[in-house]
Amino acid sequence: MTAAPIAVPSPALPLSPTTWLNQAGRPWRRLILVAGLAAVADVLPAIGFAAGLALTLTGLERLPAAALPWLMLALVSLVVRGLLGQASVVIGARLGRAVKTGARARLLHDLFGRGRRSGDRMTALVEGVEALDDYFTRFAPLRLAAGLSPFLLIAAAAVASPVSAGILLFTLAPFILGMALAGTAAAGESRRQFQALERLSGLFVDRIRALPALLAFEAVDRTTAEIATASNDLERRTARVMRIAFLSSGVLEFFSALSVALIAVYCGFNLLRLLPFPAPETLDLGRAFFVLALAPEVYAPLRRLAAAYHDRQAAEAAAPSLATPEAIQAAPSVIGHAAPAIRFRDVAIAYDGGPAVIDGFDFDIRPAQIVALIGASGAGKSSLLHLLLGLAPLSRGEVEVGEARLSACGDLAGQIAWAGQHPIVVPGTLGRNIALADPTACQTRVAIAAKAAGLPADLTRAIDERGGGLSGGERRRLGLARAFLKRAPILLLDEPTANLDPAAEAAMLDAIRQTARGRTTLIATHSPAVAALADRVVQL
């Protein structure tokens, strides 16, 4: 029978740092817009100040009293500009505080509510959240100003001197190109620098936790060397980021100074009527001074954005660590929801080119059948279970699960309920640990799974990351409770009753019988009692 082709859906791609930052600021997009408009509004007092100075200068040539109103215009423009700058800073600070508060609340819930405690998460909570401050306080408002303000200023300059406006527009292109190249170079280095900081923080936290063991095994010198290596790596990466920042700043200042110098040369030679080419305009002192005063202002928004560009790189570098999984979607099923038949066809398993652990294995398992795999240690019982989970290589042959082929699917872990010898334990509550098998399960289902596995009814019992609060038998029952909770048509159990006394084993057998009901089940075991529970026994 030819197996039907199976369409394996590609996993959803994680959000890019830019997309995540946009989503983080979406609740405050109006505040971002107000901050950006306040930065753009700086154009008006800048034009007023340049016009006031130019008209004051021309007024002094005729009558000193005539220059007084224009001088007042320049002074008022300065005051208005200061007020707008202060308003932009205040709005940006409110925006940064709001975004940081939201990101910090999500991380705290992830750390303590979901129990995902680690050194890198702690680094994200402190360093990563702070990286958002300058991004939303400075970079986000300046991005809008950098896109609009230069063209508004060039349009104002074109009223007095179209040629000068053309020069400004022409020199704007290499300035923007320099910013793009500098940003591209700094992006990768900023991300690697933040990763080095996370590694150093995580290493330090882990070594502090294991300090008694380090002292007992006299591993202090080696640990010191590891921390020193990680610290030196962070120092080198930080120095690279600073070098790129200083180089890009120098390049941008060069183009800015060059453009202002070109405007000054043109205006000066036009006033002296010494231009080596025919000009379509003849400037007077007022118009020349107005254009010359506006020229530095054209590049000021871009220079401020370039100065804040490192804030963007730092925020994008921190974004992957700040992202928290809001929901975990179940993997799409490729074998359906009913218990499938499993067929092993000439299966061989060999690790890293070594001798085959399993060779020429042929076996058929009917739907909803319980099969016990027995044999000496190293005979390959666990390897057959790991093969279905994608943890062991299919070196030869084929495994058919229902109508799906393992060689095409890669693994079927999403459709398998698994209970290994050493279940993973995370800090939190007993209920939280059981719910790892299905984060969407309600408390009632979690309680039913705990009862079926013979666990205590108190789901709020505190458990640390080392399993403190659980006995050895309860840890194995935890694995069974997860397998019972997960709605999967295949059940795999690896030595579920090892190291248990006869009374505990008898209670565990009842839990296994209930968990395996309606599923195709494979059990790797040395126990005759577990083998007696199975419909078929395979000797390896």
Side-chain angles (χ1 to χ4, degrees), residues 152-397:
L152 295 177
L153 291 166
I154 290 175
V159 175
S161 172
V163 175
S164 298
I167 295 174
L168 290 172
L169 195 60
F170 176 77
T171 55
L172 201 62
F175 193 94
I176 296 174
L177 180 61
M179 285 182 60
L181 293 176
T184 302
E189 289 298 337
S190 295
R191 179 58 191 159
R192 285 187 285 270
Q193 187 250 1
F194 192 81
Q195 288 174 340
L197 177 61
E198 284 185 326
R199 284 195 297 270
L200 178 60
S201 300
L203 179 64
F204 188 76
V205 170
D206 290 340
R207 296 304 181 265
I208 290 296
R209 288 175 176 171
L211 190 57
L214 295 176
L215 294 174
F217 288 94
E218 299 181 353
V220 175
D221 293 339
R222 185 177 65 183
T223 301
T224 303
E226 290 177 351
I227 294 177
T229 301
S231 178
N232 291 335
D233 182 54
L234 174 61
E235 180 185 4
R236 287 194 300 271
R237 296 192 184 282
T238 303
R240 290 177 186 173
V241 173
M242 297 303 296
R243 281 199 298 269
I244 293 175
F246 284 125
L247 179 62
S248 61
S249 177
V251 170
L252 297 179
E253 290 293 336
F254 169 77
F255 282 114
S256 175
L258 179 63
S259 63
V260 174
L262 288 175
I263 294 296
V265 169
Y266 168 74
C267 291
F269 275 81
N270 194 305
L271 286 173
L272 296 174
R273 308 297 185 260
L274 295 176
L275 286 173
F277 54 86
E281 59 185 9
T282 301
L283 297 179
D284 55 28
L285 182 60
R287 289 198 296 165
F289 192 87
F290 175 72
V291 171
L292 194 58
L294 274 187
E297 298 294 338
V298 171
Y299 297 94
L302 293 171
R303 291 168 63 186
R304 287 194 290 267
L305 182 68
Y309 202 79
H310 178 70
D311 301 331
R312 174 192 175 183
Q313 303 300 342
E316 289 186 349
S321 300
L322 295 172
T324 56
E326 300 301 332
I328 301 175
Q329 298 180 349
S333 175
V334 297
I335 60 175
H337 300 289
I342 302 177
R343 294 173 289 276
F344 295 88
R345 298 285 182 258
D346 192 29
V347 169
I349 301 174
Y351 295 93
D352 298 327
V357 178
I358 295 289
D359 192 12
F361 184 72
D362 286 281
F363 191 70
D364 289 353
I365 305 174
R366 295 192 303 272
Q369 192 174 40
I370 300 176
V371 175
L373 306 174
I374 63 173
S377 297
K381 302 185 299 297
S382 296
S383 294
L384 281 174
L385 304 185
H386 292 168
L387 177 63
L388 295 173
L389 293 167
L391 302 177
L394 179 62
S395 304
R396 190 185 69 246

Side-chain angles (χ1 to χ4, degrees), residues 439-463:
T440 64
C442 63
Q443 287 297 314
T444 302
R445 285 186 57 211
V446 174
I448 292 173
K451 182 179 179 181
L455 284 170
D458 183 14
L459 299 180
T460 62
R461 178 197 290 189
I463 300 174

